[in-house]
Amino acid sequence: MNDKYFTIHKYALNILKKNLKEILEKNINSDRKIIMFSTNIIAGMVVNYFEKTELNIEFVVDNAKERQGMSFFGKTVYSPEILKKEFNEQYLILIASSFQDEMIKQLEGYGYEIGTHIIKVIDLPELMNDYSYVDRTGVQPLSSDEVKKVQLEILNKIKECSQKYGIRYYLQSGTALGAVRHGGYIPWDDDVDVFVPIDDYLRLIEILKDDPQYKIVSQFNTEYYFGMGVGYMVDCNTICDINKFPIQLTTGQSIDLFPLYGIPEDAKEKEKYIIKAKELEEKCLIAIDDESRIKAINELNSFLLKYKYDECKLIGNILMPFFVKDIFPKSMFGNGVEKKFETLHLKLPEKYDEYLTHMYGDYMKLPPEDKRKGEHYYNTYYLKE
């Protein structure tokens, strides 16, 4: 893909590599016992990195009770309380999390000290707010309203492709909820999520391949996996820096496109499918070197295409954040039904009430005010010619 529309930056990843190398060199001949605090993607990268060295991770701790007792890349996950009950001066506890301040405070309450026993493998909050790896001097940023205008134009393009080429699509998650509850964006939301059946998703990539303004950026036409099963439909008349570790990406302002895959109906086969898909995804996410990552993505893509969408009664995308909750009977989606979304009329799942209830329960009830917050990890500008 043309670098004008797609550039991967490795600023944060290179910092992580440098920090891991320093930890290895400093402790390789010591008696320190290395503990990983967290079971996020970065923790997986760290455990996988040290697995190939003589400095092994002893075990992993995590505050999430549902993860305690599980195996995380071959390491048993315990409650952090184990560090309190068995205080050990030799412990070196590695942290890589957005919740690092709370985690450090927790460990200090157990008697451990930052720098002596606690090491930030990567300062995630700092790096995710650091856009110094690109120079946007003199480039005009888009306001929130301007970003939404661009996103609506992308949605209109999808609708045009649907009408012209038969591309199926459905607003999903918060975007579907916004259409039903607010007639558009959820007031505190700032992104757009769309489902596209995988066969149509791959056709859309080809349809837009020579389009002067719109492109698809995904694991199916690049050498990168962006996590959570997501791809992007981008407007190439803008420039957008996405900063969400481990992905630091420059492309156009975009909306999120999630493929819908065919999923086996038999309970045992479905369980095997889920386990295998997540195992393959993990390989994509923890791979630090390019060769391993590309190989893992190709394996994941081949597996996801194994079950034909049009031949399956169950569909979904278990790589998404809601995981198995994102498995649906295909009849729920049908041909779709149009609802107003801002200035457009766009398709939702045909049984959208059933879909939204499945996802959110009483979806018409507003969340508490302190939960009405949007998250975005990007800065958008008009393209500098």
Side-chain angles (χ1 to χ4, degrees):
M1 180 168 287
N2 193 315
D3 285 346
K4 180 180 179 182
Y5 310 121
F6 176 74
T7 306
I8 284 283
H9 309 281
K10 296 188 176 180
Y11 174 68
L13 188 61
N14 287 337
I15 289 175
L16 175 64
K17 288 181 181 178
K18 175 177 174 291
N19 292 348
L20 290 175
K21 184 178 179 182
E22 289 178 355
I23 293 169
L24 176 63
E25 291 175 348
K26 186 175 180 179
N27 296 282
I28 190 65
N29 295 316
S30 73
D31 294 326
R32 303 302 297 268
K33 297 181 181 296
I34 313 299
I35 315 301
M36 186 72 227
F37 195 156
S38 184
T39 55
N40 61 18
I41 294 305
I42 313 171
M45 297 172 84
V46 173
V47 173
N48 188 61
Y49 174 87
F50 284 119
E51 188 67 22
K52 300 170 184 177
T53 73
E54 294 177 30
L55 193 66
N56 231 329
I57 303 288
E58 296 281 327
F59 56 86
V60 177
V61 296
D62 197 295
N63 281 309
K65 291 183 178 180
E66 65 273 15
R67 299 188 180 184
Q68 294 164 10
M70 66 179 280
S71 176
F72 180 73
F73 295 100
K75 306 298 177 182
T76 303
V77 181
Y78 297 98
S79 164
E81 286 289 316
I82 194 173
L83 303 176
K84 180 180 180 181
K85 293 176 182 176
E86 301 176 12
F87 182 89
N88 190 326
E89 191 67 40
Q90 296 304 109
Y91 280 164
L92 183 63
I93 308 163
L94 307 182
I95 290 180
S97 170
S98 298
F99 304 102
Q100 62 183 28
D101 292 343
E102 294 94 324
M103 294 159 74
I104 291 169
K105 185 176 180 180
Q106 179 181 2
L107 292 171
E108 287 177 335
Y110 298 164
Y112 298 99
E113 298 178 6
I114 187 75
T116 303
H117 309 104
I118 310 165
I119 300 291
K120 289 187 281 188
V121 177
I122 188 169
D123 194 326
L124 199 59
E126 179 180 284
L127 278 171
M128 293 304 93
N129 288 289
D130 180 2
Y131 288 82
S132 62
Y133 57 89
V134 289
D135 182 5
R136 301 296 176 224
T137 305
V139 184
Q140 182 183 348
L142 272 69
S143 67
S144 176
D145 286 344
E146 288 171 325
V147 166
K148 289 180 179 179
K149 182 175 182 293
V150 172
Q151 292 175 340
L152 288 171
E153 289 168 350
I154 300 173
L155 283 169
N156 192 54
K157 181 67 175 182
I158 288 183
K159 183 172 183 176
E160 288 177 2
C161 290
S162 176
Q163 293 168 338
K164 186 174 180 179
Y165 300 105
I167 297 296
R168 294 165 289 183
Y169 75 92
Y170 309 91
L171 301 187
Q172 54 135 149
S173 302
T175 309
L177 175 58
V180 174
R181 195 171 67 191
H182 304 277
Y185 287 92
I186 295 174
W188 51 91
D189 203 2
D190 55 8
D191 67 355
V192 170
D193 299 315
V194 176
F195 273 138
V196 180
I198 183 59
D199 296 340
D200 294 349
Y201 187 98
L202 296 175
R203 280 204 301 136
L204 190 58
I205 290 174
E206 288 302 308
I207 289 166
L208 298 177
K209 186 169 62 175
D210 298 318
D211 192 280
Q213 184 171 357
Y214 299 103
K215 306 288 181 190
I216 305 292
V217 175
S218 84
Q219 70 206 60
F220 292 99
N221 64 338
T222 74
E223 295 178 344
Y224 290 89
Y225 175 68
F226 307 112
M228 300 188 297
V230 71
Y232 304 106
M233 182 165 172
V234 306
D235 176 354
C236 303
N237 289 341
T238 60
I239 189 164
C240 181
D241 301 313
I242 299 172
N243 197 9
K244 187 165 61 173
F245 191 92
I247 296 301
Q248 291 181 300
L249 166 68
T250 294
T251 185
Q253 176 58 47
S254 62
I255 65 172
D256 294 348
L257 290 188
F258 292 90
L260 283 171
Y261 302 101
I263 292 176
E265 191 174 2
D266 178 80
K268 289 184 178 179
E269 192 176 356
K270 181 171 66 173
E271 183 179 0
K272 290 179 181 178
Y273 169 91
I274 291 168
I275 292 170
K276 183 67 174 178
K278 295 304 286 184
E279 285 178 351
L280 291 172
E281 182 192 31
E282 284 178 346
K283 291 181 181 179
C284 299
L285 293 169
I286 66 168
I288 293 180
D289 65 283
D290 292 343
E291 184 179 350
S292 297
R293 185 191 66 253
I294 293 167
K295 180 182 178 184
I297 291 170
N298 289 335
E299 290 177 352
L300 175 64
N301 289 347
S302 295
F303 180 78
L304 292 172
L305 296 173
K306 180 179 177 182
Y307 295 91
K308 302 300 182 185
Y309 179 88
D310 287 322
E311 296 175 6
C312 291
K313 293 182 179 179
L314 287 183
I315 59 172
N317 189 331
I318 60 99
L319 306 177
M320 293 179 61
F322 284 112
F323 190 30
V324 293
K325 206 172 185 180
D326 280 303
I327 295 178
F328 317 97
K330 190 161 58 181
S331 59
M332 183 186 289
F333 284 67
N335 294 320
V337 60
E338 285 196 350
K339 285 286 182 180
K340 185 176 183 293
F341 187 86
E342 301 295 338
T343 57
L344 302 173
H345 285 82
L346 301 166
K347 286 189 176 182
L348 275 68
E350 199 168 276
K351 299 177 182 177
Y352 62 84
D353 176 70
E354 187 178 328
Y355 167 75
L356 291 172
T357 300
H358 171 77
M359 298 302 292
Y360 302 108
D362 184 5
Y363 61 86
M364 294 302 288
K365 183 179 179 181
L366 293 173
E369 287 194 23
D370 63 340
K371 300 294 184 183
R372 300 176 195 177
K373 298 175 183 178
E375 290 185 354
H376 85 241
Y377 305 90
Y378 62 80
N379 291 332
T380 305
Y381 309 86
Y382 288 108
L383 186 62
K384 185 177 181 179
E385 297 295 344

